[in-house]
Amino acid sequence: MKFDVIVVGGGPAGLVASYRLAQWGFKTLVLERGRKPGSKNLFGGRIYAHALDAIVPEYRKEGRFIERWVRKERLSFMTDRGLTTLEFENVEREENSFTAFLTSFVEWLAGKAEAAGATLVTEITVDELVRDDKGKFIGVRAGNDVVYGDVIIDAEGVNRLLLERAGIVPKLEPRFVALGIKEVIKLDKRTIEERFNLDEDEGLAWAIAGYPSRYLPGGGFIYTNRETVTLGVVIYLDQWRSIDMPVHEAVERFKLHPSILRLVKGGTLIEYGAHMTPVAGINMAPPRLYYDGLLIAGDAAGFLLHAGVIIRGVDFAVMSGALAAEAVKRAGGDYSAGSLSVYHKLLSDSFVLKELEAFREADRTLHDPRLFNDYVKFVDSFLRRYFTVDGTPRRIYGTMKEAMQQSGLSLWKILKDTVVMFRRL
Amino acid sequence: MSQQNICPEWPEIRREEYRGVYVYAEHDGNSLKDVSLELIGKARQLAVDLDGAEVAAIIIGGTDAMARELVETGADRVIRIVGEGLETYNPVRYSMAIAQVLDKYRPEIVLIGGTKRGRELAAYIANTLKTGITADCTELEIDKASRDLIAIRPTFGGNVLAGIRCPQRRPQMASVRPGVFPKPSRDPTRRGEVISERVDVQDGRMRLVAVERKVERDVADLPPVEKADVVVVGGRGLGSADGFHLLVELARALNGTIGASLMAVRAGWAPHTRQVGQTGKTIRPRVYIGVGVSGAVQHIVGMLESKVIIAINTDRNAPIFRYVDYGVVGDYKEIIPRLIELVKAAPKPTPTEKQPV
Amino acid sequence: MKVVLLTKAAVPNVTAVRIDPKTGTLVREGVPLMINPWDRDAAEFALRLKDRYGGTVMALSMAPPAGKDALESLMGMGVDEAVLVSDRVYAGADTLATAYTLAKAIEKFAPDFDVVVAGEETTDSTTAHVGAQVASWLGIPYIYYAIDAEVNGRSLLVRRYLEDEGLIETYEIDMPVLVSVQKGSQVPRDISLVRKLEAKGRVKTFSNSDLGLPAECVGLRGSPTIVAKVFEAKLPQRKGELFEGPPDEAARWLAAKLREVGVV
Ligand SMILES: Cc1cc2nc3c(=O)[nH]c(=O)nc-3n(C[C@H](O)[C@H](O)[C@H](O)COP(=O)(O)OP(=O)(O)OC[C@H]3O[C@@H](n4cnc5c(N)ncnc54)[C@H](O)[C@@H]3O)c2cc1C
Ligand SMILES: Cc1cc2nc3c(=O)[nH]c(=O)nc-3n(C[C@H](O)[C@H](O)[C@H](O)COP(=O)(O)OP(=O)(O)OC[C@H]3O[C@@H](n4cnc5c(N)ncnc54)[C@H](O)[C@@H]3O)c2cc1C
Ligand SMILES: Nc1ncnc2c1ncn2[C@@H]1O[C@H](COP(=O)(O)O)[C@@H](O)[C@H]1O
């Protein structure tokens, strides 16, 4: 059996690629190991709209997966004793990002791809990318069956076992992945809007450093959906070992923090899950994104931006999937690496590689435990002293100095960190 | 109740003609199944809420001693079905015979023990009578106002209980899980009537040709996993079949049996019949002891109703510790041998010493 | 040999279903649908009959349209034909109405069947009713808990396992017959990619206008039982005591707990 294009992975990257290709008349096959596209993707979060606006603008009308448009962004430092929050409210009612469940989004994309003529086959795990004797990728093997395609798009997501088996990438190191654990809590719509101070259909995206990840890199996140709140913790696995606590308990504790409990009280847990997510961004990209007969897109290519707890992957996946399709079209039937190299060019011209390159160093900073410990505690100590009126004089500088001593920071350290951060972030 | 708009395939009935609580009494030729006696006890309770309705047992074949036992545990009447072709068990003939008798006596409620054979018969009988049946119930109640039976049963993997009723059709049928109701004690002074009912079911389409006792390749002398008070369950963390032998020894010392996680079954350390979980058995022993089991949700749903849950695991972060009464963080290889010694050294409890938990 | 395979093609993954304590309703949001896992055992059983004696296997399911995926997967295993009967009026059916609909569909789409194969039970309703009830509607003999079968002239020799009695019984049954397969007794074969590709678009879907069944015999209206209430199972509070320490002490601690519980 022969196809023009075989796409491995029915996630955002793979489905966008196949949707486009099918629209252009390519005979396209998408293979997904889950029972349904999206059944293996765990995600409750926020999707940035810009890539979708460029690629599938009709989603704004058709997309029942849009839970709430994000109008409020919060960044907090949380300690056992307090919570310091910076809140930005967009009063211009721009629609830059929305909260969603990835499963519904992916289901919608799958519907579009199939309607455009792509063949989607689920419950099939690809075991191997098949090459000919010259090393060109010519098909995929699942069990005893081999199916051939002129070009393969690998969009298998973060685990990328196929790339590993093909010798393209090494085994994933723990320091490259974080664990995301999330819960979906059902509350009624009104309650959500009251507790989070939102208008109807307005959403909140909230990142919380410090306490949720036990002052280690990572942190907590909260997103408001229509009738649910997604709440979770991201933990850097290589660092968690130093902590004497089950990973799932981190979520439990986070939820029980008085500042959070108030918000989710009375809700019902309707979903619980954990999923790996790459954190090293472009640093874990394969040596090349195109080979003879093969393109790599989405998380598998390392296209993911991890700024502490804010994970941005879907817009990169969508855009890279679309550009992989574009590259296939431009290659005009010659699917050698040379011809497919246009993919890299397209990515470099797009936000995908521009943004990811710009943040190449970020992951080193974000692996620095001090950022999540000393600074969080410093902010807490400082504000706590500053806002406590007990008759002793408190001037800003003196208070700050005391807070620095308490959290093990010095002016010099802060200065150094700031410089490094400016360089990397 | 209106009979309009009812499926024309259903015979018309008059609800008020149906009275009495009937129990199908299953036996193996030698003795009655415990669950049948448990149901007689429950039927007596239900009868109270139905203005003292009659409680009857239906038995195919059986002995005088069984009939007496049914009366002494609470049956007002025992209907003994006799007839050609009922000498050996046969699902079609048995269900047709029972259905015929039910159609004649018209009870309001029919209870059947949820044994393998009981469940095989129950649905066919209900379909023959074109009435509703609720499977695998764990509680039964009467709604006095309507005289409807509310049959309560776990659903969706045991997370949820559903109360089911059958407002329009009679009899109302339910199969009931063995062991959920207490077995009533015998009262030798109770009197009841024993009726012999001759039934003719000439159905020659199926014949029993052989019966063999299944010899499990695993520890045959340990009871099945769903049948013991104490179940020691091994997981992939055992690391080897030898690990399982250690668990067998512990299970023996505790008068219990062994079970396994899917991973242990896959590793070939235990047969599939001992697997606990979503795709295995649901167990609810007095004590569950999980050894080297991580506690994946698919496993947990199969043991969540255990009275006491114990786990041994080297990983203090193992999810199973979220569900335990008692958890030990440590290597089973070091702990279990010592535990076996301690258990063996302890005096065995006599059943009366067992405290409720 | 013509085999009909009954399968519930879209059951919710039960481990993901929760209940809303306030409204008492099931929260099925985001709960993935899947094929009833035990029906894969039934499929393997049916396919082995076909492997040995030739003929065809037709899978039949009453399910919402989403059931199509699971039927394609069964074709990926080697099932020749798949029929999905799907209609709004079938919604809310209890086992009697489900079995009625399935029996009528068998009479229409496979009147010349020899064997109907069902799974032991479904994971969402776990009634194990539908098999026997289909047999009753069709007026054919039936047997539960089958582990294997062989053809002997016009009859089927079925071995079945009664787990609670530890017995294996063999019955000789005249065909046509309904056989329900002991869960976990088979090793379902893999789904082949090529076969699944070939199955694309070959699942036949029929509605009640094709079957022409009276509305008062199907779905909620054709169901004698109704769900009166739903509530959360109360699970015992757990003590959650954790012991960490040298193995000797751990063993002693455990032994003491076992004594408290009354099993030592
Ligand atoms: C906890 C968490 C929170 C996140 N939050 C956000 C957020 O708020 N915003 C955001 O933009 N991004 C977020 N992300 C990231 C986002 O989910 C990913 O970047 C995005 O899904 C990547 O898309 P993809 O198509 O590359 O890969 P995936 O979505 O992972 O899809 C890959 C697909 O391939 C299938 N597959 C894999 N191997 C095989 C095989 N061998 N054969 C067949 N099929 C195979 C998989 O089943 C999967 O469906 C989050 C991720 C996590 C884990
Ligand atoms: C659809 C589906 C259905 C499933 N059905 C079932 C089911 O019915 N039953 C079932 O069990 N699973 C089922 N599973 C599988 C389930 O998800 C888990 O994979 C499985 O339960 C894990 O088995 P385990 O705990 O033995 O192994 P693991 O998860 O590998 O856990 C082994 C544990 O042993 C511990 N350990 C290691 N060494 C030692 C030592 N020396 N001493 C003490 N502890 C040690 C480890 O810390 C670890 O926690 C199903 C999965 C799916 C997808
Ligand atoms: N909707 C359905 N469509 C087809 N077959 C079904 C359906 N429901 C149940 N069955 C069959 O009947 C068996 C027993 O189901 P249940 O009585 O629901 O436990 C299943 O394993 C299937 O083989």
Side-chain angles (χ1 to χ4, degrees):
Chain A
M1 214 165 286
K2 178 90 198 299
F3 287 84
D4 297 335
V5 189
I6 300 177
V7 179
V8 183
L15 289 170
V16 166
S18 27
Y19 173 43
R20 293 238 130 176
L21 287 163
Q23 273 184 321
W24 295 327
F26 286 88
K27 192 175 168 210
T28 308
L29 171 66
V30 200
L31 298 173
E32 166 57 45
R33 77 190 145 126
R35 287 192 191 98
K36 269 197 330 193
S39 65
K40 299 235 168 195
N41 316 63
L42 172 119
F43 163 108
R46 162 238 303 263
I47 298 179
Y48 287 94
H50 67 128
L52 288 173
D53 286 335
I55 308 296
V56 277
E58 65 273 29
Y59 82 95
R60 285 192 182 238
K61 272 200 259 82
E62 298 172 13
R64 294 224 318 276
F65 53 84
I66 299 175
E67 291 280 329
R68 287 168 182 267
W69 286 97
V70 174
R71 295 247 162 60
K72 272 190 192 171
E73 305 268 359
R74 272 188 203 162
L75 177 65
S76 294
F77 300 109
M78 182 183 264
T79 68
D80 303 57
R81 306 188 301 162
L83 179 74
T84 309
T85 298
L86 194 66
E87 178 169 308
F88 169 70
E89 180 167 342
N90 187 347
V91 291
E92 293 191 330
R93 306 195 68 81
E94 275 172 33
E95 298 189 327
N96 292 326
S97 70
F98 55 88
T99 59
F101 291 101
L102 190 62
T103 314
S104 340
F105 169 59
V106 168
E107 259 177 77
W108 174 79
L109 271 181
K112 299 217 66 112
E114 280 195 289
T119 306
L120 169 66
V121 181
T122 54
E123 281 190 293
I124 293 290
T125 303
V126 174
D127 296 313
E128 189 189 4
L129 302 173
V130 179
R131 301 184 194 208
D132 66 10
D133 43 14
K134 294 199 199 68
K136 180 181 186 317
F137 291 90
I138 52 166
V140 298
R141 183 178 64 77
N144 296 324
D145 295 344
V146 175
V147 174
Y148 296 95
D150 291 336
V151 57
I152 318 295
I153 296 178
D154 185 316
E156 63 178 309
V158 57
N159 277 328
R160 52 184 199 182
L161 286 174
L162 299 179
L163 292 182
E164 196 182 308
R165 278 181 209 148
I168 290 177
V169 298
K171 221 173 146 56
L172 211 54
E173 285 174 46
R175 65 163 242 102
F176 284 165
V177 286
L179 184 67
I181 315 146
K182 69 140 198 203
E183 291 188 1
V184 179
I185 293 167
K186 195 166 165 68
L187 285 164
D188 64 67
K189 195 161 173 295
R190 274 274 182 64
T191 310
I192 292 177
E193 282 151 17
E194 272 167 28
R195 291 190 186 170
F196 292 89
N197 191 13
L198 298 165
D199 270 349
E200 203 170 334
D201 300 328
E202 275 187 359
L204 162 77
W206 189 2
I208 301 152
Y211 177 86
S213 54
R214 309 310 298 161
Y215 309 103
L216 286 174
F221 57 85
I222 289 182
Y223 296 100
T224 58
N225 306 309
R226 243 171 315 206
E227 289 171 359
T228 52
V229 171
T230 308
L231 158 161
V233 170
V234 175
I235 279 157
Y236 283 46
L237 285 181
D238 55 338
Q239 308 216 1
W240 189 255
R241 284 188 215 122
S242 61
I243 288 277
D244 198 19
M245 187 195 291
V247 172
H248 60 79
E249 203 176 309
V251 183
E252 210 51 44
R253 287 220 186 177
F254 174 41
K255 218 168 49 177
L256 291 176
H257 192 282
S259 309
I260 303 301
L261 191 59
R262 262 196 307 203
L263 300 172
V264 296
K265 206 173 43 195
T268 324
L269 177 67
I270 60 170
E271 227 182 296
Y272 175 89
H275 198 279
M276 298 288 206
T277 162
V279 290
I282 197 76
N283 296 312
M284 58 174 276
R288 275 185 10 223
L289 301 168
Y290 52 91
Y291 292 85
D292 281 335
L294 177 73
L295 294 171
I296 305 166
D299 277 6
F303 295 160
L304 189 116
L305 205 60
H306 215 268
V309 283
I310 298 290
I311 307 176
R312 239 183 88 189
V314 172
D315 53 332
F316 290 110
V318 164
M319 187 50 90
S320 64
L323 294 180
E326 181 73 25
V328 168
K329 188 169 86 170
R330 292 213 194 167
D334 167 12
Y335 300 120
S336 65
S339 168
L340 287 175
S341 67
V342 61
Y343 179 47
H344 193 266
K345 167 115 192 16
L346 290 167
L347 287 166
S348 303
D349 292 344
S350 80
F351 74 91
V352 176
L353 281 183
K354 281 191 192 139
E355 286 204 54
L356 286 168
E357 283 295 350
F359 284 97
R360 186 177 274 279
E361 301 279 297
D363 108 89
R364 285 204 352 243
T365 301
L366 295 173
H367 261 86
D368 185 351
R370 287 191 19 251
L371 195 66
F372 296 82
N373 185 10
D374 305 359
Y375 283 94
V376 172
K377 290 188 175 152
F378 164 69
V379 172
D380 184 271
S381 307
F382 170 65
L383 292 178
R384 181 173 301 278
R385 317 209 101 234
Y386 192 71
F387 288 126
T388 309
V389 173
D390 58 4
T392 45
R394 301 209 189 280
R395 307 225 358 239
I396 292 189
Y397 180 68
T399 313
M400 206 184 288
K401 234 169 58 183
E402 274 178 63
M404 277 193 280
Q405 271 158 14
Q406 277 194 350
S407 48
L409 282 172
S410 66
L411 210 49
W412 168 240
K413 264 195 195 158
I414 295 181
L415 215 61
K416 221 173 65 183
D417 286 339
T418 314
V419 172
V420 170
M421 250 190 292
F422 272 127
R423 272 215 217 109
R424 289 180 185 166
L425 292 178
Chain B
M1 193 86 11
S2 149
Q3 292 285 326
Q4 278 158 15
N5 265 336
I6 246 182
C7 177
E9 309 244 9
W10 303 358
E12 274 194 29
I13 61 150
R14 303 232 321 259
R15 269 186 53 153
E16 51 302 346
E17 282 176 6
Y18 290 75
R19 287 294 180 262
V21 185
Y22 281 36
V23 172
Y24 167 60
E26 187 184 339
H27 63 88
D28 61 7
N30 298 315
S31 54
L32 290 162
K33 291 277 163 73
D34 280 348
V35 64
S36 305
L37 297 167
E38 292 157 18
L39 289 182
I40 296 281
K42 189 65 194 177
R44 278 251 71 91
Q45 280 178 15
L46 297 178
V48 173
D49 285 342
L50 293 167
D51 319 319
E54 172 197 61
V55 170
I58 296 181
I59 185 167
I60 297 184
T63 61
D64 293 344
M66 290 176 195
R68 206 172 316 121
E69 185 171 7
L70 288 165
V71 169
E72 289 177 7
T73 43
D76 301 317
R77 206 178 339 180
V78 177
I79 302 167
R80 275 178 79 178
I81 303 181
V82 290
E84 244 173 273
L86 297 173
E87 300 80 19
T88 55
Y89 177 84
N90 177 313
V92 176
R93 283 188 223 146
Y94 266 46
S95 359
M96 294 211 277
I98 296 167
Q100 272 184 34
V101 169
L102 291 175
D103 197 33
K104 173 168 172 191
Y105 286 85
R106 313 220 153 170
E108 202 163 10
I109 293 174
V110 178
L111 306 178
I112 296 183
T115 59
K116 291 283 172 185
R117 291 189 207 268
R119 292 186 67 181
E120 182 173 46
L121 300 175
Y124 193 94
I125 297 170
N127 210 78
T128 309
L129 303 172
K130 303 292 179 277
T131 189
I133 171 158
T134 307
D136 204 25
C137 300
T138 52
E139 185 53 280
L140 301 168
E141 292 164 5
I142 300 288
D143 175 48
K144 280 195 197 158
S146 62
R147 293 180 76 93
D148 278 356
L149 173 73
I150 315 275
I152 296 170
R153 59 171 317 227
T155 185
F156 288 110
N159 295 324
V160 178
L161 293 175
I164 291 171
R165 57 162 100 193
C166 174
Q168 291 184 42
R169 306 295 295 173
R170 291 294 180 267
Q172 310 166 83
M173 292 183 62
S175 68
V176 178
R177 238 180 227 188
V180 296
F181 299 124
K183 188 168 142 183
S185 48
R186 282 176 82 154
D187 172 2
T189 64
R190 269 195 61 93
R191 291 288 166 267
E193 168 189 22
V194 180
I195 308 172
S196 186
E197 230 359 285
R198 181 154 281 282
V199 167
D200 197 19
V201 272
Q202 303 287 357
D203 186 283
R205 291 176 297 178
M206 66 189 292
R207 317 157 270 289
L208 178 65
V209 291
V211 181
E212 53 196 294
R213 190 149 283 285
K214 170 145 170 163
V215 193
E216 289 270 6
R217 251 172 299 124
D218 75 322
V219 247
D221 59 324
L222 288 183
V225 63
E226 67 274 31
K227 284 232 163 144
D229 257 5
V230 181
V231 182
V232 185
V233 174
R236 177 154 56 187
L238 293 180
S240 68
D242 282 348
F244 239 99
H245 298 322
L246 206 53
L247 296 199
V248 170
E249 209 182 319
L250 177 61
R252 284 228 166 85
L254 289 167
N255 262 328
T257 194
I258 54 158
S261 76
L262 174 67
M263 288 309 168
V265 170
R266 287 238 177 106
W269 302 333
H272 175 78
T273 47
R274 293 201 175 271
Q275 184 187 317
V276 172
Q278 186 192 339
T279 46
K281 296 283 166 54
T282 303
I283 60 170
R284 43 187 77 71
R286 261 161 83 85
V287 182
Y288 163 102
I289 307 178
V291 184
V293 176
S294 62
V297 61
Q298 294 91 349
H299 182 80
I300 298 292
V301 294
M303 50 69 110
L304 205 54
E305 293 173 54
S306 308
K307 293 217 175 61
V308 174
I309 296 180
I310 296 175
I312 303 177
N313 198 305
T314 40
D315 176 8
R316 67 191 321 278
N317 297 344
I320 196 161
F321 285 136
R322 294 162 91 179
Y323 306 94
V324 296
D325 292 290
Y326 308 113
V328 171
V329 182
D331 187 341
Y332 83 93
K333 288 190 221 93
E334 296 172 350
I335 297 165
I336 301 264
R338 277 162 234 227
L339 183 60
I340 293 172
E341 280 168 27
L342 289 170
V343 170
K344 281 188 176 157
K348 284 275 155 295
T350 60
T352 47
E353 262 174 23
K354 282 190 192 172
Q355 303 148 14
V357 272
Chain C
M1 173 120 128
K2 174 121 194 166
V3 181
V4 176
L5 166 67
L6 296 181
T7 177
K8 190 161 180 182
V11 302
N13 184 346
V14 293
T15 52
V17 179
R18 294 282 173 281
I19 188 165
D20 186 328
K22 266 183 259 132
T23 59
T25 52
L26 294 177
V27 182
R28 300 198 193 198
E29 272 150 61
V31 175
L33 294 176
M34 60 195 259
I35 190 171
N36 174 34
W38 306 127
D39 293 347
R40 295 238 163 143
D41 287 287
E44 178 60 31
F45 189 95
L47 290 169
R48 281 177 53 183
L49 282 177
K50 177 187 147 178
D51 292 347
R52 283 167 73 185
Y53 305 107
T56 58
V57 177
M58 179 189 104
L60 169 65
S61 186
M62 180 184 100
K68 188 178 107 306
D69 296 350
L71 289 173
E72 279 177 4
S73 289
L74 288 179
M75 291 178 87
M77 282 176 74
V79 164
D80 304 273
E81 225 187 314
V83 171
L84 176 66
V85 294
S86 191
D87 199 306
R88 280 238 181 83
V89 297
Y90 300 154
D94 72 359
T95 60
L96 186 106
T98 302
Y100 172 78
T101 311
L102 292 172
K104 294 296 167 190
I106 292 172
E107 283 169 355
K108 186 170 176 84
F109 301 115
D112 54 342
F113 72 93
D114 299 297
V115 183
V116 180
V117 178
E120 178 173 339
E121 60 184 25
T122 48
T123 51
D124 60 338
S125 62
T126 56
T127 67
H129 285 171
V130 172
Q133 292 185 320
V134 167
S136 166
W137 281 112
L138 291 171
I140 59 171
Y142 72 106
I143 191 79
Y144 270 24
Y145 323 116
I147 51 178
D148 55 51
E150 60 190 77
V151 172
N152 181 9
R154 273 309 299 160
S155 54
L156 201 64
L157 271 176
V158 182
R159 270 164 41 94
R160 62 98 158 250
Y161 178 40
L162 290 165
E163 212 164 37
D164 50 356
E165 300 177 28
L167 291 184
I168 291 178
E169 296 179 334
T170 307
Y171 286 87
E172 187 180 13
I173 316 170
D174 298 348
M175 292 190 272
V177 54
L178 181 137
V179 179
S180 121
V181 178
Q182 165 81 34
K183 63 185 185 188
S185 67
Q186 316 290 312
V187 184
R189 59 195 66 187
D190 287 339
I191 297 167
S192 134
L193 168 55
V194 168
R195 281 217 203 87
K196 212 174 162 185
L197 274 171
E198 287 164 354
K200 275 275 149 193
R202 285 186 42 227
V203 173
K204 296 180 206 131
T205 304
F206 298 98
S207 69
N208 199 43
S209 57
D210 302 302
L211 278 178
L213 304 177
E216 57 274 16
C217 297
V218 298
L220 199 58
R221 280 176 69 194
S223 297
T225 62
I226 54 173
V227 178
K229 56 177 175 178
V230 178
F231 48 101
E232 192 152 18
K234 265 192 233 73
L235 294 169
Q237 263 319 108
R238 296 290 169 197
K239 294 203 175 63
E241 290 178 26
L242 228 54
F243 183 91
E244 233 170 319
D248 257 334
E249 283 173 36
R252 242 176 286 132
W253 185 78
L254 259 188
K257 295 299 175 196
L258 288 172
R259 209 168 302 126
E260 264 174 48
V261 172
V263 293
V264 170

